[in-house]
């Protein structure tokens, strides 16, 4: 059944790193939720930029600068089209998801009052918790939490009860990095809007698997990191509705983000430049565009279908191991399996898997509240991408069995 959607062997050839060995074994890379691997087309784009048209953008009169500016702005348009934003100026280049969230959290400092309420979900990554706690410290706003259940889903009834006229902002991830749960963001957004609250969706873990349509979702802010979707590190995007981005003050001051500067008064540039102070990650932005081209050429429907098949197979095979427990038991999830084996520490399992060439994540996955909920120190997390194979799942499973025999 698996491998019917596309030619997996030809896809694997696009990723040079998949040929390497780790500790003498062929690499089995299952840490895609932390960062994905980079296809040759994206690597070539980076080499081409530095070999042929490296220059600072937006200011230069010379040809190289104009060329770099054009390609960078084309990348912004590719991102706009991919997420179906209404206008390119609603796409702000950031250094990644964390930067995008902090930009919005900082902007709301002047828009909140003491006693206003902010809602986050229990399934968040620390980068979608801490900036809001800092915002609460600055403003006197109060943080409320949508609880989760044992299956790793949000308890939506409780969410609806938390909403009131005092709610000003709601933050939730589209997909949980620790468990893979796909959250019902359509319902979350619509209910928040009914009480007049703005919504930020952290799309870091959704973007590699699901093509979000920000207009259809009617979301106010959506943030992603390129490095989780075949792009380079150090670049990402913040989508914001134009009306919201106009209301928020700039995050950082500097070059690029001004209209006019005198010592008496500075006026700010129009969107998107108002939020893009200083020389941006030009090459990164361009390579982000190339990564989207690459993934769209394969197609997100095909990617989702294939990854779901891998997920089902891996879940079934792992559950056949005695004492293995998977956290996040919901049908609506991406290809992430967080598990533990009774009596074993996740770190020990991860270390043995590494000796066998299998790369997984161990620990709290920057989501300590979820681990506290399950009363565990952490999990082993295997996260799959469209370039992983059924054979790699088999290697994972046999390596986990081997680790269990060695450790118990
Ligand atoms: N949110 C989620 C759900 C994530 O998985 C991550 C990365 N693990 C982040 C935010 C932070 O992304 P970045 O480190 O690229 O800023």
């Amino acid at each position: 059944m698996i491998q019917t959607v596309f030619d997996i062997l030809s896809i694997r050839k696009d990723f040079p790193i998949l040929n390497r060995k780790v500790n003498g074994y062929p690499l089995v890379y299952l840490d895609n939720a932390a960062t994905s691997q980079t296809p040759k087309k994206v690597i070539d784009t980076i080499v081409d930029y530095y070999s042929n048209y490296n220059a600072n953008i937006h200011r230069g009169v010379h040809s190289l600068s104009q060329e770099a500016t054009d390609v960078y702005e084309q990348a912004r348009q590719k991102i706009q089209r991919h997420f179906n934003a209404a206008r390119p100026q609603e796409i702000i280049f950031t250094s990644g998801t964390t930067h995008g969230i902090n930009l919005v959290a900082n902007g709301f400092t002047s828009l909140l009052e003491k006693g206003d309420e902010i809602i986050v979900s229990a399934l968040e990554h620390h980068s979608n918790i801490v900036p809001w706690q800092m915002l609460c410290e600055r403003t006197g706003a109060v943080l409320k939490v949508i609880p989760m259940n044992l299956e790793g889903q949000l308890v939506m009834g409780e969410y609806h009860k938390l909403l009131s006229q005092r709610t000003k902002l709601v933050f939730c991830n589209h997909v949980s990095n620790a468990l893979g749960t796909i959250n019902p963001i359509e319902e979350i957004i619509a209910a928040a809007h009914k009480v007049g609250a703005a919504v930020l969706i952290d799309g870091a873990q959704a973007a590699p698997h699901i093509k979000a349509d920000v207009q259809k979702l009617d979301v106010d802010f959506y943030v992603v990191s390129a490095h989780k979707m075949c792009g380079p590190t150090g670049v990402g995007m913040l989508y914001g509705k134009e009306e919201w981005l106009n209301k928020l003050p700039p995050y950082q001051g500097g070059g690029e983000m001004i209209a006019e500067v005198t010592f008496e008064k500075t006026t700010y540039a129009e969107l998107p430049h108002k939020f893009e102070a200083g020389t941006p990650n030009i090459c990164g932005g361009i390579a982000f565009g190339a990564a989207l081209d690459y993934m769209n050429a394969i197609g997100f429907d095909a990617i989702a279908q294939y990854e779901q098949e891998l997920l089902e197979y891996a879940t079934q095979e792992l559950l056949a191991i005695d004492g293995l427990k998977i956290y996040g038991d919901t049908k609506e999830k991406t290809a992430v399996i967080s598990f533990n084996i009774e009596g074993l520490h996740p770190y020990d399992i991860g270390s043995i898997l590494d000796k066998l060439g299998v790369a997984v994540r161990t620990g709290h996955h920057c989501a300590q509240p979820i681990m506290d909920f399950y009363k565990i120190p952490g999990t082993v997390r295997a996260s799959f991408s469209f370039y992983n194979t059924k054979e790699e799942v088999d290697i994972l499973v046999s390596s986990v069995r081997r680790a269990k025999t060695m450790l118990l």
Side-chain angles (χ1 to χ4, degrees), residues 33 96-99 101 125 127 173 175 177 202 204-205 225 227-228:
T97 303
T98 306
H99 178 195
I101 294 171
H125 186 281
S127 61
N173 56 37
V175 169
N177 66 308
D202 169 353
Q205 292 296 334
S225 299
H227 70 91
K228 296 195 194 277

Side-chain angles (χ1 to χ4, degrees), residues 77-207:
Q77 286 166 19
K78 284 181 192 177
I79 298 168
Q80 178 211 344
R81 282 196 297 276
H82 179 82
F83 291 98
N84 195 29
R87 300 164 198 87
Q89 58 268 35
E90 293 180 320
I91 302 297
I92 312 296
F93 277 113
T94 62
S95 66
T97 303
T98 306
H99 178 195
I101 294 171
N102 277 279
L103 188 159
V104 176
N106 185 74
F108 268 92
T109 309
S110 55
L111 302 180
L112 292 189
E113 288 175 4
K114 195 164 187 280
D116 282 344
E117 291 180 1
I118 298 178
I119 298 178
V120 292
S121 99
L123 287 175
E124 297 311 303
H125 186 281
H126 296 161
S127 61
N128 206 21
I129 300 174
V130 184
W132 309 119
Q133 289 174 324
M134 292 160 75
L135 174 63
C136 287
E137 276 169 27
R138 288 195 297 272
T139 60
V142 180
L143 199 69
K144 303 263 166 169
V145 182
I146 315 169
M148 60 182 281
N149 63 21
L150 278 173
E151 286 74 37
Q153 300 154 324
L154 294 177
V155 184
M156 291 302 284
E158 293 301 315
Y159 168 59
H160 290 284
K161 283 190 215 154
L162 287 176
L163 287 166
S164 76
Q165 294 304 318
R166 286 189 301 277
T167 313
K168 294 294 178 287
L169 290 161
V170 176
F171 307 102
C172 184
N173 56 37
H174 193 164
V175 169
S176 152
N177 66 308
L179 306 179
T181 313
I182 303 173
N183 289 313
I185 59 166
E186 293 82 358
E187 184 181 338
I188 288 172
I189 295 165
H193 284 169
K194 276 204 182 123
V195 297
V199 183
L200 179 143
I201 297 293
D202 169 353
Q205 292 296 334

Side-chain angles (χ1 to χ4, degrees), residues 345-360:
H345 196 283
Y347 178 82
D348 295 335
I349 302 173
S351 302
I352 292 186
L353 293 186
D354 177 56
K355 295 276 175 295
L356 301 170
V358 180
V360 292

Side-chain angles (χ1 to χ4, degrees), residues 176-300:
S176 152
N177 66 308
L179 306 179
T181 313
I182 303 173
N183 289 313
I185 59 166
E186 293 82 358
E187 184 181 338
I188 288 172
I189 295 165
H193 284 169
K194 276 204 182 123
V195 297
V199 183
L200 179 143
I201 297 293
D202 169 353
Q205 292 296 334
H209 315 285
I210 300 167
K211 195 166 171 166
D213 179 330
V214 292
Q215 289 190 77
K216 200 162 155 215
L217 286 169
D218 194 27
V219 66
D220 303 294
F221 303 99
Y222 195 92
V223 285
V224 306
S225 299
H227 70 91
K228 296 195 194 277
M229 45 191 319
C230 298
T233 51
V235 67
M237 76 106 203
L238 157 68
Y239 159 79
K241 279 185 187 161
E242 193 168 4
E243 56 192 281
W244 272 117
L245 293 177
N246 280 331
K247 267 187 228 167
L248 299 187
Y251 181 40
Q252 292 182 315
E256 296 267 357
M257 54 75 74
I258 53 92
E260 219 172 320
V261 177
T262 67
F263 282 110
E264 288 69 42
K265 185 174 167 56
T266 289
T267 50
Y268 303 126
E270 296 292 315
L271 291 173
H273 307 295
K274 173 179 144 186
F275 292 109
E276 295 182 350
T279 301
N281 183 350
I282 304 165
C283 178
I286 292 170
F288 186 5
L292 290 180
D293 284 346
Y294 177 80
M295 292 191 76
N296 278 310
I298 297 171
F300 275 75

